Amino acid sequence: MNIVLLGSGTGSNAKAILEKQTQGLLGKARVTGIITDNPTARILTLGDSYHVPAIHIPSGPFKTKLTPEVEQTYVDHIRAWSADLVVLAGFMRVVKETLLNAFPGKIINLHPSLLPKYPGLHSVQRAFDAGEKECGCTVHYVNAVIDGGDIISQSRVRIEKEDTFTTLMEKVHAAEHTLLPEAIRKLSLEFR
Ligand code: GAR
């Protein structure tokens, strides 16, 4: 099962996926490409380290979404890399019709909250500020509703009294680095 990763920043989740692949722990999944909307994103450097093509596609005039033309460029690359699954690993753009229609039911996203709680931006901060006892992360299918598609798996993180936002963020990231590769591994074993 070929997967293409989309990310906008650090790429720690993309790295976790590539590490599992290197260790033979990603089931039948194999990363065939990485795309970013951010020319300075660290995720781009993973391409050389893991011998995977990694490219930046200029994102156009909008801050939170791509134009249909730019999305079509994504589609062309994703198809060229024969993707069976598209994984949003820290991709900070809302995915619109052109991508959704090209890969129906084949785009998954990682979100740093226990959805349906705290969709959208700054989820960990909002859970922390609200005095929640737990937060976590979710892998879900992507549809036209932001962070609203069917949930594939979740990981819970307890918020302790001594946690700061920084320590909590570290715990959520650690949970993500296990949850997302494991979700991909399981999907790859069901893939035919
Ligand atoms: C992750 O925490 C991921 O859950 C979040 O961005 C971070 C990317 O980190 N994604 C979203 O908020 C999507 N709405 P990374 O670049 O180190 O993988």
Short mmCIF file of all heavy atoms in Angstrom, two decimals, residues 6-16 42-43 88-93 109-113 119-124 136-138 140 146-147 169 172-173 176-177 180, ligand 1:
data_model
loop_
_atom_site.label_atom_id
_atom_site.label_comp_id
_atom_site.label_asym_id
_atom_site.label_seq_id
_atom_site.Cartn_x
_atom_site.Cartn_y
_atom_site.Cartn_z
N LEU A 6 1.53 14.40 3.53
CA LEU A 6 1.42 15.85 3.36
C LEU A 6 1.65 16.49 4.72
O LEU A 6 1.02 16.09 5.70
CB LEU A 6 0.02 16.24 2.86
CG LEU A 6 -0.25 16.29 1.36
CD1 LEU A 6 0.17 15.03 0.64
CD2 LEU A 6 -1.71 16.59 1.10
N GLY A 7 2.56 17.48 4.77
CA GLY A 7 2.84 18.14 6.04
C GLY A 7 3.27 19.57 5.82
O GLY A 7 3.70 19.94 4.73
N SER A 8 3.17 20.37 6.88
CA SER A 8 3.48 21.80 6.75
C SER A 8 4.63 22.27 7.63
O SER A 8 5.02 23.42 7.54
CB SER A 8 2.25 22.63 7.15
OG SER A 8 1.13 22.29 6.37
N GLY A 9 5.14 21.40 8.51
CA GLY A 9 6.09 21.94 9.48
C GLY A 9 7.22 21.00 9.82
O GLY A 9 7.93 20.49 8.96
N THR A 10 7.34 20.72 11.11
CA THR A 10 8.47 19.97 11.65
C THR A 10 8.59 18.58 11.05
O THR A 10 9.69 18.09 10.81
CB THR A 10 8.30 19.84 13.18
OG1 THR A 10 8.01 21.12 13.70
CG2 THR A 10 9.56 19.31 13.83
N GLY A 11 7.48 17.94 10.88
CA GLY A 11 7.51 16.61 10.29
C GLY A 11 7.88 15.51 11.27
O GLY A 11 8.31 14.44 10.86
N SER A 12 7.64 15.75 12.57
CA SER A 12 8.00 14.69 13.53
C SER A 12 7.12 13.45 13.32
O SER A 12 7.59 12.32 13.52
CB SER A 12 7.90 15.19 14.97
OG SER A 12 6.56 15.43 15.32
N ASN A 13 5.89 13.65 12.91
CA ASN A 13 5.03 12.48 12.66
C ASN A 13 5.41 11.76 11.37
O ASN A 13 5.39 10.54 11.31
CB ASN A 13 3.57 12.91 12.63
CG ASN A 13 3.05 13.16 14.03
OD1 ASN A 13 2.80 12.22 14.78
ND2 ASN A 13 2.96 14.42 14.42
N ALA A 14 5.79 12.53 10.35
CA ALA A 14 6.29 11.90 9.12
C ALA A 14 7.54 11.09 9.44
O ALA A 14 7.71 9.95 8.96
CB ALA A 14 6.60 12.98 8.09
N LYS A 15 8.40 11.66 10.29
CA LYS A 15 9.63 10.95 10.67
C LYS A 15 9.30 9.65 11.43
O LYS A 15 9.92 8.61 11.20
CB LYS A 15 10.50 11.87 11.53
CG LYS A 15 11.83 11.27 11.85
CD LYS A 15 12.76 12.24 12.53
CE LYS A 15 14.09 11.53 12.74
NZ LYS A 15 14.90 12.09 13.76
N ALA A 16 8.31 9.74 12.32
CA ALA A 16 7.92 8.53 13.07
C ALA A 16 7.45 7.43 12.12
O ALA A 16 7.78 6.25 12.29
CB ALA A 16 6.82 8.87 14.08
N ARG A 42 10.66 21.69 7.88
CA ARG A 42 11.68 20.67 8.14
C ARG A 42 11.31 19.31 7.56
O ARG A 42 12.18 18.47 7.32
CB ARG A 42 11.92 20.55 9.65
CG ARG A 42 13.24 21.22 10.05
CD ARG A 42 13.76 20.66 11.35
NE ARG A 42 13.08 21.28 12.47
CZ ARG A 42 13.05 20.75 13.71
NH1 ARG A 42 13.65 19.61 13.95
NH2 ARG A 42 12.41 21.36 14.67
N ILE A 43 10.02 19.12 7.34
CA ILE A 43 9.58 17.83 6.76
C ILE A 43 10.29 17.57 5.42
O ILE A 43 10.55 16.42 5.07
CB ILE A 43 8.04 17.80 6.60
CG1 ILE A 43 7.54 16.39 6.32
CG2 ILE A 43 7.57 18.76 5.52
CD1 ILE A 43 6.02 16.25 6.33
N LEU A 88 -2.35 13.03 6.01
CA LEU A 88 -2.09 14.40 6.45
C LEU A 88 -1.40 14.32 7.81
O LEU A 88 -2.02 13.98 8.81
CB LEU A 88 -3.39 15.20 6.55
CG LEU A 88 -4.33 15.17 5.34
CD1 LEU A 88 -5.49 16.15 5.55
CD2 LEU A 88 -3.59 15.50 4.04
N ALA A 89 -0.10 14.58 7.80
CA ALA A 89 0.70 14.49 9.03
C ALA A 89 1.18 15.91 9.36
O ALA A 89 2.28 16.31 9.00
CB ALA A 89 1.88 13.54 8.81
N GLY A 90 0.28 16.67 10.01
CA GLY A 90 0.61 18.07 10.30
C GLY A 90 0.46 18.96 9.08
O GLY A 90 1.20 19.91 8.91
N PHE A 91 -0.54 18.67 8.26
CA PHE A 91 -0.81 19.50 7.08
C PHE A 91 -1.84 20.54 7.49
O PHE A 91 -2.97 20.21 7.86
CB PHE A 91 -1.34 18.64 5.93
CG PHE A 91 -1.45 19.37 4.62
CD1 PHE A 91 -0.32 19.89 4.00
CD2 PHE A 91 -2.68 19.54 4.00
CE1 PHE A 91 -0.41 20.56 2.79
CE2 PHE A 91 -2.78 20.20 2.78
CZ PHE A 91 -1.63 20.72 2.18
N MET A 92 -1.45 21.83 7.43
CA MET A 92 -2.26 22.88 8.05
C MET A 92 -3.15 23.62 7.05
O MET A 92 -3.46 24.80 7.22
CB MET A 92 -1.35 23.85 8.81
CG MET A 92 -0.51 23.16 9.88
SD MET A 92 -1.45 22.08 11.01
CE MET A 92 -2.16 23.31 12.08
N ARG A 93 -3.57 22.94 6.01
CA ARG A 93 -4.53 23.52 5.05
C ARG A 93 -5.80 22.69 5.07
O ARG A 93 -5.75 21.46 5.23
CB ARG A 93 -3.97 23.45 3.63
CG ARG A 93 -2.63 24.10 3.48
CD ARG A 93 -2.76 25.53 3.00
NE ARG A 93 -1.47 26.18 3.05
CZ ARG A 93 -1.25 27.40 2.65
NH1 ARG A 93 -2.23 28.13 2.15
NH2 ARG A 93 -0.05 27.93 2.73
N ASN A 109 -6.24 11.93 8.41
CA ASN A 109 -5.63 13.08 9.07
C ASN A 109 -5.33 12.73 10.52
O ASN A 109 -6.02 11.93 11.14
CB ASN A 109 -6.62 14.27 9.04
CG ASN A 109 -6.07 15.51 9.71
OD1 ASN A 109 -4.91 15.88 9.50
ND2 ASN A 109 -6.87 16.15 10.54
N LEU A 110 -4.27 13.37 11.02
CA LEU A 110 -3.94 13.27 12.45
C LEU A 110 -4.35 14.59 13.10
O LEU A 110 -3.98 15.66 12.61
CB LEU A 110 -2.43 13.07 12.59
CG LEU A 110 -1.87 13.16 14.00
CD1 LEU A 110 -2.36 11.98 14.85
CD2 LEU A 110 -0.34 13.17 13.96
N HIS A 111 -5.08 14.52 14.21
CA HIS A 111 -5.50 15.75 14.89
C HIS A 111 -5.19 15.63 16.38
O HIS A 111 -5.47 14.60 16.99
CB HIS A 111 -7.01 15.98 14.67
CG HIS A 111 -7.45 17.26 15.27
ND1 HIS A 111 -7.18 18.48 14.70
CD2 HIS A 111 -8.10 17.52 16.44
CE1 HIS A 111 -7.66 19.44 15.46
NE2 HIS A 111 -8.22 18.89 16.52
N PRO A 112 -4.65 16.73 16.97
CA PRO A 112 -4.22 16.63 18.38
C PRO A 112 -5.33 16.89 19.39
O PRO A 112 -5.21 17.77 20.25
CB PRO A 112 -3.12 17.70 18.46
CG PRO A 112 -3.55 18.74 17.49
CD PRO A 112 -4.24 18.00 16.37
N SER A 113 -6.42 16.14 19.29
CA SER A 113 -7.44 16.19 20.34
C SER A 113 -8.22 14.88 20.27
O SER A 113 -8.09 14.11 19.31
CB SER A 113 -8.41 17.37 20.14
OG SER A 113 -9.40 17.06 19.18
N PRO A 119 -12.11 20.36 17.67
CA PRO A 119 -11.66 20.41 16.27
C PRO A 119 -11.02 21.77 16.00
O PRO A 119 -11.17 22.70 16.81
CB PRO A 119 -12.97 20.26 15.48
CG PRO A 119 -14.02 20.81 16.39
CD PRO A 119 -13.56 20.50 17.80
N GLY A 120 -10.31 21.89 14.89
CA GLY A 120 -9.73 23.20 14.52
C GLY A 120 -8.37 23.43 15.16
O GLY A 120 -7.70 22.49 15.57
N LEU A 121 -8.01 24.71 15.24
CA LEU A 121 -6.65 25.08 15.67
C LEU A 121 -6.51 25.11 17.20
O LEU A 121 -7.50 25.21 17.92
CB LEU A 121 -6.29 26.46 15.11
CG LEU A 121 -6.18 26.56 13.58
CD1 LEU A 121 -5.95 28.01 13.15
CD2 LEU A 121 -5.06 25.66 13.05
N HIS A 122 -5.25 25.02 17.67
CA HIS A 122 -4.88 25.21 19.08
C HIS A 122 -5.64 24.26 20.01
O HIS A 122 -6.05 24.64 21.11
CB HIS A 122 -5.12 26.66 19.50
CG HIS A 122 -4.53 27.67 18.54
ND1 HIS A 122 -3.18 27.70 18.23
CD2 HIS A 122 -5.11 28.64 17.78
CE1 HIS A 122 -2.95 28.66 17.35
NE2 HIS A 122 -4.10 29.23 17.04
N SER A 123 -5.82 23.03 19.58
CA SER A 123 -6.64 22.08 20.33
C SER A 123 -6.05 21.76 21.70
O SER A 123 -6.79 21.69 22.69
CB SER A 123 -6.79 20.79 19.54
OG SER A 123 -7.19 21.08 18.25
N VAL A 124 -4.74 21.55 21.75
CA VAL A 124 -4.13 21.16 23.03
C VAL A 124 -4.21 22.34 24.00
O VAL A 124 -4.56 22.17 25.18
CB VAL A 124 -2.66 20.70 22.83
CG1 VAL A 124 -2.03 20.31 24.15
CG2 VAL A 124 -2.60 19.53 21.84
N GLY A 136 -5.60 14.21 24.02
CA GLY A 136 -5.07 13.09 23.25
C GLY A 136 -4.99 13.42 21.78
O GLY A 136 -4.85 14.59 21.40
N CYS A 137 -5.08 12.38 20.97
CA CYS A 137 -4.97 12.59 19.53
C CYS A 137 -5.84 11.57 18.80
O CYS A 137 -6.19 10.51 19.35
CB CYS A 137 -3.52 12.51 19.07
SG CYS A 137 -2.58 11.14 19.75
N THR A 138 -6.18 11.92 17.56
CA THR A 138 -7.13 11.14 16.78
C THR A 138 -6.62 10.97 15.35
O THR A 138 -6.10 11.93 14.77
CB THR A 138 -8.49 11.88 16.71
OG1 THR A 138 -9.00 12.07 18.03
CG2 THR A 138 -9.52 11.10 15.88
N HIS A 140 -8.32 10.13 11.72
CA HIS A 140 -9.67 10.02 11.16
C HIS A 140 -9.64 10.20 9.64
O HIS A 140 -8.69 10.77 9.09
CB HIS A 140 -10.60 11.09 11.79
CG HIS A 140 -10.21 12.50 11.47
ND1 HIS A 140 -10.73 13.20 10.40
CD2 HIS A 140 -9.32 13.34 12.05
CE1 HIS A 140 -10.20 14.40 10.36
NE2 HIS A 140 -9.34 14.52 11.34
N ILE A 146 -14.43 20.04 8.65
CA ILE A 146 -13.10 20.13 9.27
C ILE A 146 -13.02 19.24 10.50
O ILE A 146 -13.83 19.36 11.43
CB ILE A 146 -12.77 21.61 9.64
CG1 ILE A 146 -12.63 22.43 8.35
CG2 ILE A 146 -11.50 21.68 10.48
CD1 ILE A 146 -12.41 23.91 8.58
N ASP A 147 -12.07 18.30 10.48
CA ASP A 147 -11.85 17.35 11.57
C ASP A 147 -13.12 16.56 11.89
O ASP A 147 -13.34 16.16 13.04
CB ASP A 147 -11.30 18.06 12.83
CG ASP A 147 -9.99 18.78 12.54
OD1 ASP A 147 -9.17 18.25 11.77
OD2 ASP A 147 -9.79 19.89 13.08
N MET A 169 2.10 19.15 25.59
CA MET A 169 2.34 19.07 24.15
C MET A 169 3.30 17.90 23.84
O MET A 169 3.09 17.15 22.88
CB MET A 169 2.98 20.40 23.73
CG MET A 169 2.58 21.01 22.43
SD MET A 169 0.90 20.85 21.95
CE MET A 169 1.18 20.62 20.25
N VAL A 172 1.44 14.67 24.07
CA VAL A 172 0.54 14.46 22.93
C VAL A 172 1.35 14.05 21.69
O VAL A 172 0.99 13.12 20.97
CB VAL A 172 -0.32 15.72 22.64
CG1 VAL A 172 -1.09 15.58 21.34
CG2 VAL A 172 -1.27 15.99 23.80
N HIS A 173 2.48 14.73 21.48
CA HIS A 173 3.32 14.37 20.33
C HIS A 173 3.79 12.91 20.45
O HIS A 173 3.77 12.17 19.47
CB HIS A 173 4.53 15.29 20.22
CG HIS A 173 4.23 16.60 19.55
ND1 HIS A 173 3.52 16.68 18.37
CD2 HIS A 173 4.51 17.87 19.88
CE1 HIS A 173 3.39 17.95 18.02
NE2 HIS A 173 3.97 18.69 18.92
N GLU A 176 1.07 10.70 19.49
CA GLU A 176 0.85 10.75 18.03
C GLU A 176 1.85 9.86 17.30
O GLU A 176 1.49 9.19 16.32
CB GLU A 176 1.01 12.19 17.52
CG GLU A 176 -0.10 13.12 17.93
CD GLU A 176 0.07 14.53 17.38
OE1 GLU A 176 1.22 14.96 17.16
OE2 GLU A 176 -0.93 15.20 17.17
N HIS A 177 3.09 9.89 17.78
CA HIS A 177 4.15 9.15 17.07
C HIS A 177 3.95 7.64 17.12
O HIS A 177 4.53 6.90 16.34
CB HIS A 177 5.53 9.54 17.64
CG HIS A 177 5.86 10.99 17.44
ND1 HIS A 177 6.85 11.65 18.12
CD2 HIS A 177 5.27 11.92 16.62
CE1 HIS A 177 6.87 12.92 17.74
NE2 HIS A 177 5.93 13.10 16.83
N LEU A 180 -0.26 7.23 14.88
CA LEU A 180 -0.40 7.35 13.42
C LEU A 180 0.28 6.20 12.67
O LEU A 180 -0.36 5.59 11.79
CB LEU A 180 0.11 8.73 12.95
CG LEU A 180 -0.05 9.02 11.46
CD1 LEU A 180 -1.51 8.89 11.00
CD2 LEU A 180 0.46 10.43 11.13
C1 GAR B 1 0.73 17.47 15.10
O1 GAR B 1 0.57 17.70 16.47
C2 GAR B 1 -0.60 17.24 14.44
O2 GAR B 1 -1.53 16.59 15.27
C3 GAR B 1 -1.03 18.65 14.17
O3 GAR B 1 0.14 19.31 13.74
C4 GAR B 1 1.26 18.73 14.40
C5 GAR B 1 2.32 18.44 13.38
O4 GAR B 1 3.52 18.08 14.00
N1 GAR B 1 -2.04 18.68 13.14
C6 GAR B 1 -3.06 19.53 13.16
O5 GAR B 1 -3.22 20.36 14.03
C7 GAR B 1 -3.99 19.40 11.98
N2 GAR B 1 -5.20 20.10 12.23
P1 GAR B 1 4.71 17.49 13.11
O6 GAR B 1 4.95 18.45 11.94
O7 GAR B 1 5.89 17.50 14.05
O8 GAR B 1 4.32 16.12 12.65
#
